[in-house]
Structures are given as C-alpha cells and as structure tokens.
Amino acid sequence: MYKLKDKYSTVLSLYLIEDYNHREIGELLNIKESTVRNQFRRGKQQLLKLIKNKEL
C-alpha cells in the first residue's frame, strides 16, 4: 500500500484495518463522506492493479 497516494492508503487503512466506516473516516479527516467513498474506490482499484501487475 506504500505505493498508493497517501490519501488513498489512509482511507483504505482506516476502513479495512481499523474498521472505521465512511462517515467516521470523513469526520476524522474533515472531508465529505462522498469524498471518502471516492478515495476508497479509487485506492482499491489502484491497489488491485498493483497486485495484478505484481508491483508490490
């Protein structure tokens, strides 16, 4: 995950590892819930792409 942009890795870590929901992450990072959902989706796509290309 270190190859992802900070904003994506932060959201992914908070959601997947720390078990926060999108609303809670938005409150923690002071961003809209829709932005959190967008960053989660984009970060997940980039992470999957890295895994498929074995770039981790």
Side-chain angles (χ1 to χ4, degrees):
M1 284 185 28
Y2 66 91
K3 288 191 175 186
L4 297 176
K5 290 183 180 180
D6 285 341
K7 61 184 180 182
Y8 298 149
S9 63
T10 300
V11 169
L12 284 173
S13 294
L14 288 170
Y15 187 83
L16 297 172
I17 299 169
E18 301 295 328
D19 204 29
Y20 285 95
N21 63 40
H22 295 295
R23 180 187 51 79
E24 294 169 328
I25 295 170
E27 290 173 0
L28 282 171
L29 301 178
N30 199 29
I31 56 178
K32 293 181 182 180
E33 185 177 340
S34 60
T35 303
V36 173
R37 291 180 186 278
N38 232 346
Q39 289 179 356
F40 176 78
R41 181 180 49 81
R42 290 178 183 167
K44 188 171 78 170
Q45 288 172 342
Q46 286 186 7
L47 185 59
L48 289 172
K49 184 179 178 182
L50 289 171
I51 291 169
K52 286 180 183 177
N53 293 332
K54 298 180 180 162
E55 293 181 23
L56 291 178

